Amino acid sequence: MTKRSFPGEFEQMVLLCIAQLGEHAYVIEIRRMLGETANRSATRGALYRTLDRLEKKGLVTWEVIEPTAERGGHPKRRFQLTQEALEVLRTSRDVLQRLWLGLHAVLGEP
Amino acid sequence: MADTIVGRSIVGDLREEYVEQVRSHGQRRAALWYWLRVLAWVIGDRFHRTSARLPRRSLKDSGHPLQEFTNMESVLKDITYALRALARQPVFALVAVLSLAIGLGVNTAIFSLANAVLLRPLPGVTEPTTLLEVGRSQGGQGSDTFGYLSLRSMRETSRTVELAIWNLAPMAIGGEEAADAVLGAQISENYFDVLGVTMQRGRGFGADEGPGSGASVAVISDALWGRRYQRDPGIVGRTIIINGVPAIVTGVAGTGFNGTFSLMRFDVWVPIGMQASGLFTDSTLERWSSNALFGIGRLRDGMTIETAAAELSQLMAALVQEHPDDLAGQGVTVASLGTVPVIIRTPVQMFMLALMIAVGLGLMVACVNVAGMLVARALSRGREIAVRQALGASRLRLARQLLTESTVLFLVGGGFGIVLAVGATRLLQSFNPPLPPPFEIALTPTLDARVLVFSLAITLLTALLFGFGPALRGSRPDLASAFKGDSPAAPATRSRTRGLFIVLQVAITVVLVVGSALFLRALGKANDIALGFDPDNVYSVAFNLNLAGYQPDEGQQVLHDLRAEVTALSGVQVASISALLPVGLPASMGFGGLTVEGVEPPTGSQSWSASVNLVSPGYFETLGMPLLSGGDFLDTDVQASETVAIVNQHAADRFWPDGDAVGQQFDLGGTVYTVRGVAGNAKYAALIEDLPYFIYIPVAQSYRPFTNLLLRLDADAASVLPAVREISHRLAPGLPVLDVLALRDYVEIGFLPQRFAANVAGVLGIVASLLAAVGMYGVASHAAASRVREIGLRMALGAGKREVVRMVIGQGLRAPIAGLLLGLVVAAAVTRLLGSLLFGVSPLDPIAYAAGIALLLLTALVANWLPARQAARLDPVRALRSE
């Protein structure tokens, strides 16, 4: 394991949502996916702060999309994962998979 | 929001979601959603910026209780949750919201009344805080009207105040057929300038239209312009008839300005000295001794009330030295010009304060009741709260949720309270006691910004005060009992809390009930006050002969003929003329000081102060007032004959203690009178007053055109009035006949504060008693339920039903009796403040207190008896098996 900081649970969820949404990784969509798929209702403030933190850690970048009339001419940001983010997610998945090994009986699953 | 791409994109995200909300829920809900989120963002963002500056250790980035507490989005979630929770318990919500709506609504309505009468600045004037009321004191007491010459002298010489002069004057507007009786005022030409009243049309009065100029001009009110002239755009320059004399309208006063008495509406202003009958003649203006005008003023730049008072007092003292006979004992009082004149300001303030305290107590009872219900509700959710605590929710977080729920409840109650207040203020606006026309009380309580802010403030204050305790209590459940599912068992602390609430509720209810009983006793006592005359079956018809332009000789003849013809009507026992109505204002005609040979006036005065009325023969018989010696006036007591007077017993005893006053002489304002008779003492100005020296003078010897025809009837007034009107029309064409007033109704105006207070306190007492009964029943039921096994055991061991009932009631009465004792002590302290409002009834009147004790004990007994009866019917076997 490298010395990079391991992202927290919520940060990982946000990263995974960005990965899942691909070209549609806008804040509104990320928040919707968190609520529907992860059953995690996050306040707007918490989500913006998390995205800000992930950007500072070098895990996400964003680009500006053309504003629309619906948005009153205000710009829209689309988020992408950096290579480092992919590394972090891969590492996290591997670690968790190793830790989950052989726990079916404990969970009462066949 | 920072003007960066990030900042603007955040705004854009919110707008995009707003558009979705509009599509899903409509414009209105979307707008509310949007602004709530903006608010949440602003507050949350501010919090985070502040917390980011603090050392890392003192605040974590997420999960810190303080952050949780102030996270606005979760507060919004709590609000939504609270509304849903209320919807799930409709009975609880209904009872709580109704109690709060009544308490908050009544408080708002009474505050709107206090606002209209005392707090709201005088409408239509500028900078009301620099306006003054200048009054005349006599012997250092009171604040009464002034003589014109005194005011004029001070107006010309004062460097601290710009003075204006005015007096009220009933007027008739219009021609012979459609005369409108209105309340008008005669004013100095600078009146509108001093008050800063803007004319919406035309102008006020010019320098050449002042007192003594004889100018025939008028300014009318906005209300009169609409009511009588249909807002005719050509009103300025139009000629109208005032008291039979043409006058040119120079202007229409700004909307909202109706004079300087908030309780009365003025419609016409004319210059002092305008030559119209019924208004001041030049001779009145030239007498130092006539005191009939009000002084108002505006502080000059840099001046204060204190400097103004000092200067005017000095100026007045110099005048008194120059004219000792006419101005003996006179001084100056200076006060801020309020909506109510100084002379009645303190009683009005005390009355409003007493009302606010009464309704405030009612609100407290409602709040205590709701607080008790909130505690019970929070504790019944012990399991839910215990689970949340076990999963990591902090106590502060839980308390916040419970506090949010109670605040939402109070705000909903407050909202309905405002709806209730709207109805209540309309009721107050229609309150119109029978005053002699054209006087009428104009109450205009409205829910303006100040009243709405008050309503919101008391709603939030009561929400905090009465929601905080239950929130703290509910956020600390007994975890062990909660997980075991032990409910509805009541731990000792829960019983103690609810018991305390009952003590408070009962105490407040006792205060309200005792207060109401005291006012009712005062009303009863007022009815026993010896008036000195019999007002029943006596009616008054007001006339103002100047309104038809009669000269004194003609007016005297009209009055004489009117009395003679009306007396002859079937159903009329006797009729007479009187300038003044008994037990009312004004209390006296201005005749100057009284001197009696051989009787020294009080130290520092040149003469005695006496009240005077002008009456015709038959006055005493009409009012049922005894003549103790001598005789009544005669029709031969006219201008040319000897000047005679009748004095009251108080005057006779003071000035002629050794013998009969009849035949004695005194000087009144420079005229010598011979005493014709002595009348019994009576009430003259108010039901509670210092007995004055009272003098009656024949109206035929001193004509006053504004007068009252008094009739004692032996039949229903309605059958006589048309005949009186017909006689009046025939004898005095063009003279408007003003409404008939039953003297009993007029006298009872003096009881109005007591009646109003008794009604308000009585209603509140009943509502408070019902709430207290509900609370006591709830506590008794829970207490009985918690002792089911004990009761079962006792019954199994042989206790009878009576013993069970006694046991349950005995326990249930402890808190109410404690509340009763506390309430009696508080009532004894508070009712001392009622003072003269009680008409001599002692604030510790035993009957009033006995009534309070009886009502509360009865309520407590009934509230506890029902659960006791249920407990006595328990099956002991089932009870012993119960959990």
Side-chain angles (χ1 to χ4, degrees):
Chain A
M1 182 75 67
T2 60
K3 275 194 176 172
R4 69 171 69 88
S5 59
F6 209 72
E9 181 203 35
F10 184 64
E11 288 176 341
Q12 283 200 57
M13 284 187 182
V14 171
L15 290 172
L16 287 168
C17 287
I18 293 172
Q20 290 278 2
L21 288 166
E23 290 214 339
H24 300 285
Y26 308 114
V27 172
I28 294 175
E29 308 305 328
I30 295 169
R31 193 161 170 266
R32 192 170 290 148
M33 179 171 267
L34 281 169
E36 287 169 4
T37 308
N39 204 24
R40 180 72 177 249
S41 142
T43 65
R44 284 169 191 75
L47 181 55
Y48 284 120
R49 281 189 294 278
T50 301
L51 289 166
D52 194 39
R53 213 163 41 245
L54 289 172
E55 188 190 3
K56 285 193 174 99
K57 288 183 183 177
L59 298 177
V60 300
T61 58
W62 49 266
E63 58 181 1
V64 176
I65 304 299
E66 279 304 306
T68 59
E70 232 177 26
R71 294 172 63 85
H74 295 291
K76 193 167 182 172
R77 293 185 292 165
R78 179 164 58 203
F79 287 83
Q80 296 125 8
L81 300 181
T82 61
Q83 281 301 319
E84 194 169 335
L86 294 173
E87 271 297 313
V88 162
L89 284 174
R90 211 173 283 127
T91 307
S92 165
R93 182 198 57 184
D94 292 343
V95 165
L96 288 171
Q97 277 179 340
R98 283 200 293 277
L99 288 169
W100 274 111
L101 267 178
L103 289 180
H104 302 286
V106 172
L107 290 175
E109 289 169 355
Chain B
M1 185 65 67
D3 189 20
T4 59
I5 290 181
V6 174
R8 286 190 281 121
S9 75
I10 291 173
V11 172
D13 289 339
L14 199 57
R15 287 200 62 147
E16 197 177 318
E17 287 189 83
Y18 164 73
V19 169
E20 279 179 31
Q21 288 285 325
V22 170
R23 280 194 208 114
S24 315
H25 302 294
Q27 179 76 33
R28 217 176 261 179
R29 272 183 68 174
L32 180 66
W33 174 93
Y34 180 84
W35 286 110
L36 282 173
R37 267 136 196 87
V38 167
L39 186 65
W41 175 267
V42 167
I43 295 171
D45 184 61
R46 178 55 50 197
F47 174 81
H48 278 284
R49 283 174 194 270
T50 307
S51 69
R53 289 199 288 271
L54 293 174
R56 273 284 165 199
R57 234 184 286 173
S58 64
L59 248 148
K60 293 209 173 107
D61 215 356
S62 67
H64 191 277
L66 188 59
Q67 181 189 13
E68 277 187 69
F69 196 87
T70 57
N71 185 321
M72 278 310 295
E73 281 229 17
S74 63
V75 168
L76 289 171
K77 279 191 200 164
D78 285 347
I79 292 173
T80 317
Y81 183 82
L83 287 168
R84 284 202 206 117
L86 283 178
R88 278 198 300 270
Q89 290 183 299
V91 174
F92 160 79
L94 186 67
V95 172
V97 166
L98 195 62
S99 305
L100 292 171
I102 292 172
L104 292 165
V106 170
N107 270 268
T108 303
I110 296 297
F111 182 78
S112 76
L113 182 65
N115 185 42
V117 173
L118 291 170
L119 300 177
R120 207 160 56 191
L122 214 50
V125 303
T126 49
E127 290 185 62
T129 53
T130 58
L131 290 172
L132 305 174
E133 181 183 325
V134 178
R136 171 181 60 91
S137 63
Q138 190 69 46
Q141 303 287 329
S143 183
D144 213 331
T145 50
F146 258 111
Y148 170 69
L149 293 173
S150 303
L151 282 172
R152 189 184 71 179
S153 172
M154 286 191 286
R155 180 186 161 187
E156 286 164 0
T157 52
S158 172
R159 289 191 308 273
T160 57
V161 182
E162 195 188 342
L163 270 174
I165 307 165
W166 73 280
N167 191 17
L168 44 75
M171 297 178 188
I173 305 294
E176 290 190 3
E177 293 307 319
D180 254 336
V182 299
L183 189 58
Q186 293 182 266
I187 59 175
S188 56
E189 77 284 4
N190 65 341
Y191 175 86
F192 292 117
D193 293 332
V194 166
L195 287 173
V197 175
T198 15
M199 297 292 138
Q200 59 174 298
R201 292 213 169 227
R203 59 173 181 83
F205 299 142
D208 57 345
E209 289 163 336
S213 65
S216 216
V217 287
V219 167
I220 63 173
S221 70
D222 178 73
L224 184 67
W225 182 35
R227 194 170 72 233
R228 191 173 173 84
Y229 303 106
Q230 288 77 46
R231 308 195 93 79
D232 170 18
I235 187 69
V236 174
R238 186 166 156 175
T239 300
I240 63 175
I241 306 295
I242 298 177
N243 294 5
V245 166
I248 298 172
V249 176
T250 62
V252 179
T255 321
F257 181 70
N258 282 111
T260 54
F261 285 178
S262 67
L263 296 177
M264 289 184 176
R265 272 192 214 107
F266 289 79
D267 281 318
V268 181
W269 294 268
V270 301
I272 291 173
M274 175 171 145
Q275 299 297 321
S277 50
L279 308 180
F280 291 118
T281 61
D282 288 341
S283 62
T284 308
L285 301 180
E286 285 161 13
R287 287 210 317 259
W288 283 95
S289 60
S290 105
N291 294 310
L293 293 159
F294 296 99
I296 55 165
R298 186 182 289 281
L299 288 169
R300 296 194 196 273
D301 286 342
M303 296 299 159
T304 63
I305 288 186
E306 291 75 26
T307 51
E311 189 217 26
L312 293 177
S313 295
Q314 272 179 350
L315 293 175
M316 191 66 202
L319 289 174
V320 170
Q321 255 192 333
E322 282 173 44
H323 305 274
D325 292 335
D326 297 308
L327 304 179
Q330 289 190 16
V332 171
T333 61
V334 176
S336 298
L337 182 68
T339 48
V340 167
V342 165
I343 198 167
I344 57 169
R345 201 174 290 176
T346 303
V348 170
Q349 285 171 338
M350 293 307 301
F351 176 66
M352 292 309 315
L353 183 64
L355 266 186
M356 290 297 308
I357 290 174
V359 296
L361 288 176
L363 175 61
M364 278 191 66
V365 171
C367 289
V368 167
N369 215 24
V370 170
M373 292 163 71
L374 284 170
V375 166
R377 187 163 165 263
L379 292 178
S380 70
R381 293 159 68 189
R383 193 187 174 93
E384 174 206 335
I385 292 173
V387 167
R388 292 181 66 184
Q389 265 195 332
L391 288 175
S394 69
R395 192 177 163 208
L396 211 54
R397 174 72 183 82
L398 293 168
R400 190 194 79 190
Q401 187 191 321
L402 292 172
L403 187 61
T404 306
E405 287 179 19
S406 62
T407 305
V408 164
L409 190 66
F410 274 79
L411 284 172
V412 171
F416 281 105
I418 288 182
V419 172
L420 209 134
V422 168
T425 50
R426 285 210 186 123
L427 208 65
L428 289 169
Q429 281 169 7
S430 65
F431 179 66
N432 198 355
L435 295 180
F439 300 100
E440 60 177 270
I441 297 280
L443 279 179
T444 54
T446 52
L447 299 185
D448 62 11
R450 186 185 285 115
V451 175
L452 290 174
V453 166
F454 170 83
S455 184
L456 182 64
I458 56 167
T459 303
L460 291 174
L461 186 66
T462 47
L464 267 177
L465 283 175
F466 293 95
F468 200 70
L472 276 186
R473 184 68 194 87
S475 63
R476 195 187 56 199
D478 176 354
L479 287 181
S481 306
F483 277 118
K484 276 195 278 180
D486 281 354
S487 82
T493 47
R494 177 180 172 190
S495 295
R496 261 206 305 278
T497 310
R498 294 202 75 185
L500 186 61
F501 283 144
I502 295 297
V503 169
L504 282 175
Q505 273 184 290
V506 170
I508 294 168
T509 307
V510 166
V511 174
L512 286 171
V513 171
V514 166
S516 174
L518 281 172
F519 279 120
L520 286 170
R521 291 271 293 151
L523 276 175
K525 188 129 187 203
N527 285 325
D528 293 338
I529 288 178
L531 294 171
F533 60 91
D534 176 16
D536 292 323
N537 296 317
V538 177
Y539 294 83
S540 165
V541 183
F543 288 102
N544 186 347
L545 292 158
N546 284 325
L547 300 187
Y550 282 106
Q551 297 305 308
D553 286 346
E554 295 166 319
Q556 288 283 23
Q557 192 60 50
V558 164
L559 289 177
H560 178 268
D561 295 345
L562 187 64
R563 184 168 70 86
E565 288 210 29
V566 168
T567 305
L569 282 175
S570 160
V572 177
Q573 291 179 6
V574 58
S576 58
I577 303 290
S578 171
L580 303 174
L581 287 177
V583 197
L585 297 173
S588 173
M589 312 295 296
F591 269 72
L594 166 72
T595 53
V596 180
E597 196 178 312
V599 185
E600 279 299 310
T603 318
S605 297
Q606 305 271 345
S607 59
W608 297 89
S609 181
S611 300
V612 180
N613 189 11
L614 301 170
V615 302
S616 72
Y619 171 79
F620 300 97
E621 188 186 343
T622 309
L623 284 191
M625 192 183 286
L627 278 170
L628 303 173
S629 63
D632 197 357
F633 296 129
L634 305 167
D635 286 330
T636 49
D637 293 321
V638 293
Q639 198 96 36
S641 60
E642 181 194 20
T643 44
V644 291
I646 293 172
V647 303
N648 70 346
Q649 186 173 11
H650 184 50
D653 290 344
R654 179 65 187 88
F655 299 118
W656 305 281
D658 299 327
D660 194 359
V662 175
Q664 301 288 348
Q665 290 190 326
F666 61 88
D667 182 301
L668 184 70
T671 304
V672 174
Y673 294 84
T674 305
V675 178
R676 168 71 58 81
V678 176
N681 293 327
K683 295 295 177 188
Y684 303 102
L687 295 172
I688 303 284
E689 63 175 3
D690 293 328
L691 185 60
Y693 303 121
F694 209 91
I695 295 169
Y696 302 90
I697 290 173
V699 67
Q701 290 188 338
S702 189
Y703 173 71
R704 284 294 187 277
F706 187 30
T707 191
N708 303 279
L709 176 70
L710 295 172
L711 320 166
R712 177 172 286 281
L713 307 178
D714 55 18
D716 181 10
S719 65
V720 169
L721 178 59
V724 173
R725 282 185 188 278
E726 185 265 316
I727 291 171
S728 164
H729 257 306
R730 182 165 42 78
L731 293 176
L735 180 69
V737 175
L738 306 173
D739 286 339
V740 173
L741 195 65
L743 202 63
R744 168 58 73 184
D745 292 344
Y746 180 71
V747 164
E748 286 185 357
I749 289 170
F751 304 162
L752 272 176
Q754 286 74 13
R755 183 162 290 136
F756 193 69
N759 285 342
V760 170
V763 167
L764 289 174
I766 290 170
V767 170
S769 300
L770 286 173
L771 289 172
V774 167
M776 283 188 274
Y777 173 78
V779 168
S781 291
H782 277 103
S786 70
R787 298 174 73 185
V788 156
R789 295 184 77 180
E790 179 198 342
I791 293 170
L793 191 60
R794 281 177 186 259
M795 289 175 85
L797 291 175
K801 288 186 178 180
R802 270 199 196 160
E803 205 178 311
V804 170
V805 167
R806 251 201 317 269
M807 185 184 82
V808 173
I809 288 179
Q811 188 198 20
L813 284 183
R814 277 185 221 155
I817 287 176
L820 182 62
L821 293 172
L822 177 63
L824 289 173
V825 168
V826 173
V830 164
T831 53
R832 279 178 195 283
L833 301 173
L834 294 175
S836 62
L837 287 174
L838 294 180
F839 284 146
V841 172
S842 164
L844 300 176
D845 180 63
I847 295 178
Y849 281 78
I853 292 169
L855 180 65
L856 263 303
L857 278 179
L858 187 66
T859 309
L861 269 170
V862 169
N864 280 276
W865 176 72
L866 291 169
R869 198 179 68 152
Q870 246 178 328
R873 286 179 181 168
L874 281 175
D875 176 1
V877 173
R878 270 199 187 162
L880 284 169
R881 284 195 195 136
S882 74
E883 290 285 327

